[in-house]
């Protein structure tokens, strides 16, 4: 295999692996233990991202970010808060829903973002996008119809997450031009600004007294070790996604990057079906395949629109991921990495 092929294949595989790992570990931490500590998990991920970014920068890896400053922090803080809401509601939805169904319903966020962009930025919605939207709605209906473990709270949090994700994407796109963030700037500011928020909310909202009492019992030591490993891996995976996203984008193109994001949803769903004991039905598999096809059609429609629209026109975003990749700059905004 030639070196040029390896230079392209390695970051793609790294991005896919980190994305799959992040989603599966999140599901494990939030649904497989006695306590579902969403804010604590998000705090660990934020801390892991910031700490490993600083370490990577110190050892000479290509991780460059703008130093924290009051002006940018004040401007970006509302965006960071909207991201925190998106991640929290996503975590709660993942706590109640199985991963394939979560994948299917996450596509509905794309529709909310598309029409939000149309309203805010006057972006066009093409006929091919409408076809993909129809497929997304159909896949969600099939998924809900075949959901053998129906949970009302799961659908509530999923609906809230779709709205929160769309709000975050649109708000970020409005503000990012004011601060001119690139590459790791958004990741660094998002995580550093929300880390104290997650810590405070975890201490206030989550049952730490019950957590300490339960895991103080030696009979639960094995579960505590598994929980600690899950939290640790989720923190590393959060940084891995932050690093692999721009790495993959730099070595491929925005078109390839967007397509990989759409294609990656299928192995995520398949791995989840094999790993977790949730019932697998023919209808559920059909819903995943419909959602997968809808993501491909939408990605193609977006790339066609990008090629045909005049330079500087607003282009709708690529498919929304279910991991922390949403916090990075959009591919069309990150074509030229920061040289700071």
């Amino acid at each position: 295999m030639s070196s040029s092929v390896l230079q392209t294949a390695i970051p793609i595989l790294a991005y896919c692996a980190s994305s799959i790992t992040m989603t599966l570990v999140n599901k494990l931490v939030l649904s497989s233990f006695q306590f579902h500590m969403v804010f604590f998990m998000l705090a660990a991920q934020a801390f892991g991202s910031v700490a490993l970014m600083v370490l990577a920068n110190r050892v000479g890896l290509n991780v460059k970010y703008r130093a924290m400053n009051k002006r940018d922090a004040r401007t970006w803080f509302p965006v960071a808060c909207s991201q925190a809401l998106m991640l929290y509601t996503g975590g709660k939805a993942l706590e109640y829903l199985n991963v394939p169904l979560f994948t299917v319903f996450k596509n509905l966020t794309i529709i909310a973002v598309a029409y939000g962009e149309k309203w805010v930025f006057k972006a066009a919605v093409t006929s091919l996008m409408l076809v993909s939207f129809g497929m997304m709605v159909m896949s969600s209906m099939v998924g809900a119809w075949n959901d053998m473990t129906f949970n009302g709270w799961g659908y509530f949090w999923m609906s809230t997450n779709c709205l929160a994700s769309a709000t975050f994407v649109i708000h970020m796109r409005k503000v990012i031009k004011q601060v001119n963030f690139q590459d790791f700037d958004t990741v660094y500011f998002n995580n550093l600004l929300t880390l104290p928020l997650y810590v405070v909310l975890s201490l206030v909202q989550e049952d730490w007294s019950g957590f300490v009492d339960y895991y103080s019992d030696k009979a639960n030591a094995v579960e505590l070790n598994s929980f600690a490993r899950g939290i640790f891996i989720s923190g590393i995976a959060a940084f891995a996604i932050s690093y692999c996203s721009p790495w993959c984008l730099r070595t491929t193109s925005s078109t390839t990057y967007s397509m990989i994001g759409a294609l990656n949803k299928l192995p995520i769903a398949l791995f989840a079906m094999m790993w977790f004991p949730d019932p697998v039905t023919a209808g559920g598999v059909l819903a995943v395949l419909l959602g997968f096809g809808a993501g491909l059609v939408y990605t193609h429609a977006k790339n066609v629109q990008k090629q045909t629209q005049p330079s500087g026109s607003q282009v709708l975003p690529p498919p929304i991921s279910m991991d922390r990749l949403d916090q990075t700059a959009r591919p069309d905004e990150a074509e030229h990495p920061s040289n700071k």
Side-chain angles (χ1 to χ4, degrees):
M1 186 178 292
S2 66
S3 59
S4 60
V5 174
L6 279 175
Q7 288 176 356
T8 302
I10 290 175
I12 290 175
L13 292 174
Y15 161 46
C16 292
S18 60
S19 178
I20 292 170
T21 301
M22 187 69 180
T23 303
L24 297 182
V25 170
N26 281 356
K27 174 63 178 176
L28 176 69
V29 170
L30 295 176
S31 64
S32 300
F33 300 105
Q34 181 70 22
F35 291 85
H36 306 153
M37 313 284 277
V38 181
F39 284 124
F40 177 60
M41 184 191 72
L42 293 176
Q45 292 174 359
F47 177 79
S49 294
V50 172
L52 290 174
M53 281 179 67
V54 173
L55 178 63
N57 180 269
R58 295 284 176 85
V59 299
L61 294 179
N62 191 20
V63 177
K64 300 177 181 178
Y65 49 87
R66 187 180 306 179
M68 181 63 66
N69 61 85
K70 288 184 179 180
R71 183 177 62 84
D72 289 337
R74 190 181 301 112
T75 303
W76 195 255
F77 185 70
V79 178
C81 288
S82 66
Q83 181 218 323
L85 180 62
M86 176 193 72
L87 293 176
Y88 176 75
T89 55
K92 295 297 291 184
L94 203 54
E95 177 183 334
Y96 294 106
L97 299 179
N98 61 60
V99 174
L101 193 62
F102 182 91
T103 307
V104 167
F105 277 96
K106 193 66 176 176
N107 273 343
L108 295 180
T109 300
I110 299 174
I111 302 176
V113 172
Y115 282 96
E117 293 268 338
K118 183 178 181 180
W119 178 53
V120 176
F121 299 115
K122 311 302 179 186
V125 176
T126 66
S127 57
L128 191 57
M129 289 176 183
L130 292 176
V131 171
S132 73
F133 295 164
M135 294 174 65
M136 291 172 193
V137 173
M138 188 180 301
S139 69
S140 300
M141 293 175 65
V142 172
W145 183 262
N146 290 275
D147 184 8
M148 298 181 66
T149 58
F150 181 86
N151 189 298
W153 279 111
Y155 285 89
F156 167 77
W157 286 114
M158 190 72 252
S159 301
T160 307
N161 179 250
C162 288
L163 294 175
S165 299
T167 301
F168 167 66
V169 171
I170 295 170
H171 192 192
M172 181 178 70
R173 181 159 294 184
K174 287 185 67 176
V175 178
I176 200 168
K177 293 181 179 179
Q178 300 176 24
V179 293
N180 195 29
F181 277 172
Q182 296 180 31
D183 252 14
F184 293 100
D185 297 340
T186 56
V187 181
Y188 183 72
F189 273 72
N190 277 337
N191 285 297
L192 196 56
L193 288 173
T194 56
L195 176 56
L197 181 65
Y198 293 144
V199 172
V200 171
L201 288 173
S202 178
L203 292 173
V204 172
Q205 292 290 327
E206 294 175 333
D207 185 12
W208 277 99
S209 60
F211 181 90
V212 172
D213 290 341
Y214 180 79
Y215 286 117
S216 295
D217 188 343
K218 292 183 178 180
N220 301 318
V222 174
E223 182 180 330
L224 176 61
N225 289 336
S226 298
F227 178 81
R229 282 196 297 269
I231 291 292
F232 179 75
I233 294 172
S234 74
I236 295 175
F239 167 75
I241 289 173
S242 302
Y243 182 81
C244 292
S245 172
W247 182 27
C248 181
L249 184 59
R250 280 192 296 267
T251 55
T252 57
S253 66
S254 61
T255 301
T256 303
Y257 176 89
S258 298
M259 189 60 70
I260 293 168
L263 291 170
N264 203 37
K265 290 188 175 184
L266 187 58
I268 287 175
L270 293 177
F271 274 110
M273 289 178 180
M274 292 186 292
W275 195 5
F276 296 105
D278 300 311
V280 179
T281 64
V285 173
L286 176 61
V288 169
L289 293 175
L290 279 171
F292 174 71
L296 293 180
V297 172
Y298 180 81
T299 300
H300 175 65
K302 173 193 168 294
N303 290 328
V304 169
Q305 184 191 48
K306 185 176 179 181
Q307 292 169 6
T308 57
Q309 282 196 337
S311 177
S313 298
Q314 287 291 340
V315 180
L316 294 175
I320 302 297
S321 172
M322 71 189 70
D323 49 37
R324 296 176 69 89
L325 194 59
D326 295 313
Q327 66 185 288
T328 60
R330 312 317 308 176
D332 44 79
E333 294 166 341
E335 283 284 2
H336 306 289
S338 171
N339 293 317
K340 298 182 290 299

